[in-house]
Amino acid sequence: MSSIESASSAVVSREAAVHPQWSSRLAFILAATGSAVGLGNIWKFPYITGENGGGAFVLVYLLCILVVGLPILAAEILLGRRSGCSPIKGMTLLARRDAVSLRWGWMAWVGFVAAFVLLSFYSVVGGWSLAYIGLAAQGFFSGADAATIGGLFGQLLEDPGALLLWHSVFMLLVVLITGSGVRAGMERSIKLLMPLLFVLLLVLVGYAAVRGNFAQALSFLFSPDFSKLSTEGVLTALGHAFFTLSTGICVMMAYGSYLPPQVNIARTVVTIGLLDTLVALLAGLAIFPLVFANGLEPGAGPGLIFVTLPLAFGQMTGGVLFGTLFFILLLVAAVTSAISMIEPVVEWLEDKGVSRMLGALMSGAMIWLLGVCTVLSFNVWADFHPLDFMARFEGKTLFDLFDFLVSNLALPIGGLAIALYAGWAMKPQTLRDGIGLGDGAVFTLFHFVLRFLSPAAVLVVFVYNLG
Ligand code: TRP
């Protein structure tokens, strides 16, 4: 070994001692898939597919994942790995190293704030899954009619005490897991929870295949009818591609900062994309057969899994057991995503010298507090619409506004900044060396997509969502 090499490997191992790493490529894949697979896959994907008429929407969604989502995700992970520290410190570090304006650093701040706000309301919705595990297990859905089940959901939302309790339990879980460390906390729980998630999902699909109308669900999801697809549907698909891959707000950048240097990013990202998509489709195959078998509506919107699906479980043999399993699945998916959202905040505090557990407790407490606003926006503050003076935001509660801020502003702005940074600010050679696509035509195509296609697509969604 040359002296330069041994010196640099000494640096690497010293850094590794300070800065933790995922133990293997598989560990990173599970962690990143855990982040990607969440309420977005099991709650949102099925209901937006339902609202947008099925097959054609699914096809466009797959295209968006491939052309926009995956390239930006790869770039984001690479930025994280190159910096090796929290996004806020890391983006400034990279800008200096790449000899470009230090103003690029602001994109990490956008991500930081967005991740903070996102977790504050994600935790409240994650709390609903806790509440529903109890309701399902106690047989509240059995034989109940639509009005009763709709009433249960309404009652939950109207009860600030219950929402607060479940939000607190959920945040506590997140803080404990994250605070225990990258390997001892996050990696260990993810290695347990992700296999559990896949088993639960397969069991539920099996149940749906036996008891539900599987054929109708298959044709709903996989036979495209383009007359049912609107422009709005296309843009929804594109926006969701970001959300479901957890890309755009530096969350994957933080996860990437723990990625060992020898792992091939391109190949890893493809695996994550495949698994994430697989879970979303399987969730559809677990839900829609039951919905169709009971003559219910697939296009019910956000109430699909909290009202329509319980109604279906309530009419079916084995509904108590499988209904309970479904909401456990939802909880597992939500927790493994939530721990990724708090990571940029915790890692930043660590960079500032705060211990991990203390950092997790501090950030968890602040995020919890902001989450109280979301809790109240469903009941006590339901009529508080702070931006009523702007026509665009008329009638929107705090929860609606938080969601808008993250999903419609921060995700596209952050995603655009990542694409532009990796595509234009970084030297092509640096990108090529880091991304792992070789230096042939595939890389050239990737570079082109990242420079032109992804930014253009994101801009279109962004402008549309504002208008
Ligand atoms: N992808 C997750 C889901 O589908 C949510 C999520 C986790 C996320 N981390 C994120 C979304 C970062 C945007 C950015 O539920």
Side-chain angles (χ1 to χ4, degrees), residues 37-38 41-43 46 193-209 214 275-287 322 325-330 332-333:
V37 171
N41 301 59
I42 296 171
W43 176 41
L193 292 175
M194 291 312 286
L196 176 66
L197 183 143
F198 281 104
V199 171
L200 282 174
L201 190 57
L202 290 177
V203 167
L204 283 158
V205 172
Y207 176 71
F214 209 66
L275 288 174
D276 183 69
T277 307
L278 188 70
V279 172
L281 294 175
L282 287 176
L285 288 179
I287 294 170
F322 289 94
L325 292 181
F326 179 84
F327 289 103
I328 294 178
L329 167 74
L330 191 65
V332 170

Side-chain angles (χ1 to χ4, degrees), residues 33 89 98 161 164 214 216 281 319 349 352 361 381 389 441 456:
T33 305
K89 186 171 157 199
D98 291 327
L164 200 62
F214 209 66
Q216 197 179 346
L281 294 175
L349 287 170
K352 298 248 166 236
L361 276 170
W381 291 351
F389 58 90

Side-chain angles (χ1 to χ4, degrees), residues 32-42 44 76 115 118 122 240 242-252 276 333-334 336-338 340-341 406 411:
T33 305
S35 169
V37 171
L39 298 171
N41 301 59
I42 296 171
K44 199 164 177 197
E76 183 174 340
L118 173 59
Y122 201 87
H240 188 62
F242 269 89
F243 188 84
T244 192
L245 290 175
S246 303
T247 192
I249 55 172
C250 304
V251 162
M252 287 294 194
D276 183 69
T336 54
S337 294
S340 74
M341 295 172 199
V406 174
L411 286 178

Side-chain angles (χ1 to χ4, degrees), residues 64-115:
C64 294
I65 293 271
L66 199 67
V67 175
V68 189
L70 292 183
I72 295 183
L73 176 61
E76 183 174 340
I77 293 174
L78 176 62
L79 293 184
R81 178 163 77 184
R82 286 186 68 216
S83 80
C85 57
S86 76
I88 289 195
K89 186 171 157 199
M91 274 318 296
T92 315
L93 210 95
L94 286 183
R96 201 167 283 135
R97 203 188 301 163
D98 291 327
V100 293
S101 164
L102 295 188
R103 292 215 188 91
W104 282 102
W106 64 260
M107 71 190 238
W109 281 102
V110 171
F112 184 90
V113 173

Side-chain angles (χ1 to χ4, degrees), residues 446-467:
F446 167 77
H447 199 203
F448 174 81
V449 168
L450 201 58
R451 287 187 134 185
F452 300 102
L453 213 55
S454 320
V458 178
L459 263 180
V460 171
V461 184
F462 183 60
V463 171
Y464 176 85
N465 279 342
L466 285 187

